[in-house]
Amino acid sequence: MMSSQTQFRHLKMQVQRKLAETLQLAENYFQRKFPVPTISYELRGVKAGVAYLQKNEIKFNRTLLLENSDEFIRQVVPHELAHLIVYQVFGQVKPHGQEWQSVMTQLFNLPADTCHQFDVENVQGKMFAYQCECQTHYLTIRRHNRIQRDKIAYLCRKCHEKLVFIVKINK
C-alpha cells in the first residue's frame, strides 16, 4: 500500500504530464509558445482548481485531487489550463465563454463542463441553514460570519427576502 505522501507525489507527476500534454496541444494549434504555469496545491474549500490569469498560475485542491484523481487529472487540469490559454490568446473574456468552450471541446476534446461533480463532504466545512419566504439556503461559515459580525444582509434570488439564520448544520 502506497503512503499518502507517495501517492500525492505520484499524482503531482501525473498532473505535470497532463499539463505538458495539453500545453503542447495548445502550442501546436495556436502555432506559438505558452509559458508553463506555476502550480500549487493549496486551494481549499469546494473548488477543484482556480486559474490566476495575470500570474499564469493554477491552484489545485489537494484533497479533491487525492479523492478523485483520474477524473481530476482528465478534466480539471485541462479546464484550468484552458483559462490561461484563452487569456493569453484572446485577453479578458467571459470565464466560460465561447473561446474557453472551443478550447475545451475542439482543442482538448473534452466536455466544456463549468463545474465538477466531486463529493465535497470532506472539504466543505461547516454549513449554516438560513430561511427566506420560499426556501432554505445553506451558507458557508464565511458568509455566516459576515452576517453575524459585519451585519451583512443576503437576499434570496427568487423572492428577494432577507435570509434569516435557523441552525448550524453538523457534518
Side-chain angles (χ1 to χ4, degrees):
M1 186 77 180
M2 216 185 309
S3 76
S4 62
Q5 262 317 96
T6 305
Q7 180 189 13
F8 183 58
R9 271 197 303 275
H10 179 69
L11 289 173
K12 282 169 53 174
M13 290 186 332
Q14 288 181 319
V15 166
Q16 289 296 337
R17 273 197 295 276
K18 187 65 171 181
L19 268 175
E21 172 189 309
T22 48
L23 199 56
Q24 188 64 56
L25 285 172
E27 289 178 348
N28 292 345
Y29 182 83
F30 289 108
Q31 293 296 296
R32 61 172 276 194
K33 283 285 200 191
F34 292 100
V36 176
T38 304
I39 304 299
S40 70
Y41 298 88
E42 58 197 44
L43 188 62
R44 296 172 62 176
V46 298
K47 290 183 179 178
V50 175
Y52 295 89
L53 306 179
Q54 291 84 1
K55 294 179 179 180
N56 195 42
E57 178 182 4
I58 301 172
K59 290 185 180 182
F60 291 121
N61 186 314
R62 175 187 173 128
T63 303
L64 291 177
L65 170 62
L66 285 164
E67 292 178 353
N68 310 277
S69 54
D70 292 343
E71 183 64 11
F72 192 105
I73 291 166
R74 190 185 76 74
Q75 184 71 24
V76 176
V77 173
H79 175 120
E80 299 307 332
L81 182 62
H83 286 299
L84 298 180
I85 298 297
V86 166
Y87 177 72
Q88 291 171 33
V89 172
F90 302 102
Q92 195 78 43
V93 295
K94 287 185 179 178
H96 297 113
Q98 65 184 24
E99 300 88 351
W100 178 85
Q101 289 176 30
S102 69
V103 168
M104 286 297 289
T105 58
Q106 295 170 22
L107 181 55
F108 295 160
N109 198 27
L110 290 167
D113 296 334
T114 57
C115 298
H116 66 77
Q117 299 298 312
F118 304 142
D119 178 358
V120 294
E121 188 176 336
N122 291 334
V123 293
Q124 187 166 269
K126 296 181 185 89
M127 297 300 285
F128 298 82
Y130 279 75
Q131 189 72 47
C132 67
E133 292 291 322
C134 69
Q135 64 184 331
T136 302
H137 302 263
Y138 298 96
L139 304 184
T140 62
I141 191 166
R142 177 178 287 167
R143 288 193 175 192
H144 172 73
N145 286 342
R146 290 193 72 205
I147 292 168
Q148 299 300 311
R149 180 187 61 228
D150 303 335
K151 306 302 180 209
I152 301 292
Y154 287 97
L155 305 180
C156 174
R157 289 185 178 171
K158 285 184 184 172
C159 70
H160 306 289
E161 291 296 318
K162 183 177 175 181
L163 303 186
V164 179
F165 178 57
I166 305 170
V167 66
K168 174 182 165 188
I169 308 299
N170 290 328
K171 281 179 64 172

